[in-house]
Amino acid sequence: MSEFFKAELKDRFLEYALERTDYFEIQTLYDEFLRPNYSLQFVEKLIKEIQEYDMELLDVMSGNGMDIFMLASTPSTEDFLEEGGFKDMYVKEEEKWDVFVEQLSSTRKLSKDEKQLLKKSSPRLKREKTLLIILISAIAISFLFTLISILNSSFLEPEYVPADEFERRLNQLNQQYLEENQRLEQELKASQTQLDSILRGP
């Protein structure tokens, strides 16, 4: 049984009690509303839930070996029903949950124009990123070849040179290395700037 149907039954029990001016047996509620599909114990369970919410909603008397035997309305019964009863409480609780769930899943959906713009710009962005990666790779390979070439020409070829010539070449090699390093740093900075501008988008 759904919670809404249970809330509706509780309201009907209260309305029935309000219509009567005397005490009546719990069996009467069972005969009136739930026979033969449910048991008398289920009626007792709903009455206990009403009492757990507010003891003043029903005047309950025990007897005949039962905790809940006779029932009657109270001054609070009418006020509670006029305020909407258990059904209204259930509906308001459900609305709160709906709002809460909406807030949890508040990821803004893209509009149709935004989706089209994203589709158009996506291939261009991928192409520019690919070109940038190729450019950085080419710079790195160029640096490696230059370094190998300098080392090869300076150290690996068997050439006998005087000490002052060797020192001059070593300084020259060091100077070439520094210049090449500065050039590559500038190219990498330029590439990084280009990458940042691509990632930021138009």
Side-chain angles (χ1 to χ4, degrees):
M1 178 181 290
S2 71
E3 291 299 316
F4 180 77
F5 184 50
K6 282 167 69 174
E8 188 175 8
L9 273 175
K10 290 175 192 175
D11 284 347
R12 285 190 182 183
F13 291 173
L14 294 175
E15 286 165 2
Y16 182 81
L18 194 61
E19 288 170 4
R20 296 186 59 140
T21 56
D22 58 342
Y23 282 86
F24 59 93
E25 292 182 33
I26 190 172
Q27 180 73 37
T28 311
L29 290 176
Y30 174 65
D31 294 338
E32 189 77 22
F33 298 105
L34 290 171
R35 180 185 289 273
N37 298 320
Y38 293 89
S39 65
L40 182 62
Q41 285 74 26
F42 185 69
V43 178
E44 288 178 4
K45 180 177 180 290
L46 292 179
I47 296 297
K48 283 178 182 175
E49 286 180 10
I50 292 172
Q51 285 185 297
E52 283 169 11
Y53 176 74
D54 187 350
M55 291 290 290
E56 300 297 319
L57 289 178
L58 284 172
D59 188 4
V60 177
M61 287 195 307
S62 59
N64 204 25
M66 300 170 67
D67 290 335
I68 302 170
F69 180 57
M70 301 286 282
L71 304 167
S73 63
T74 68
S76 299
T77 309
E78 187 173 6
D79 294 338
F80 180 72
L81 288 170
E82 283 178 358
E83 288 170 6
F86 286 102
K87 278 193 296 184
D88 192 55
M89 282 171 51
Y90 176 83
V91 169
K92 284 178 180 175
E93 192 64 29
E94 285 296 301
E95 286 173 354
K96 282 181 188 175
W97 272 107
D98 289 343
V99 170
F100 177 69
V101 170
E102 278 180 28
Q103 287 173 347
L104 282 181
S105 60
S106 62
T107 307
R108 190 175 70 84
K109 292 183 179 178
L110 294 174
S111 67
K112 196 177 281 184
D113 293 338
E114 287 172 327
K115 285 179 182 175
Q116 287 177 351
L117 185 64
L118 192 62
K119 284 179 183 176
K120 286 178 184 176
S121 62
S122 184
R124 184 177 63 83
L125 191 62
K126 285 181 182 175
R127 190 176 70 248
E128 288 179 354
K129 282 184 181 177
T130 306
L131 288 173
L132 192 60
I133 290 167
I134 292 169
L135 177 64
I136 291 171
S137 302
I139 291 170
I141 291 168
S142 169
F143 173 73
L144 285 174
F145 274 115
T146 304
L147 189 60
I148 290 168
S149 173
I150 292 170
L151 290 172
N152 190 38
S153 64
S154 301
F155 295 109
L156 299 180
E157 289 179 2
E159 183 181 351
Y160 299 99
V161 291
D164 59 338
E165 180 65 18
F166 177 76
E167 191 175 339
R168 187 184 68 77
R169 286 194 181 183
L170 195 61
N171 289 335
Q172 186 180 7
L173 175 64
N174 191 36
Q175 185 64 32
Q176 284 178 346
Y177 175 76
L178 289 172
E179 288 174 0
E180 183 65 18
N181 202 22
Q182 284 178 353
R183 183 181 69 79
L184 290 171
E185 279 182 10
Q186 287 173 355
E187 288 183 10
L188 280 171
K189 281 181 185 175
S191 300
Q192 185 63 46
T193 305
Q194 189 176 356
L195 179 61
D196 290 344
S197 67
I198 288 170
L199 292 175
R200 279 197 299 271

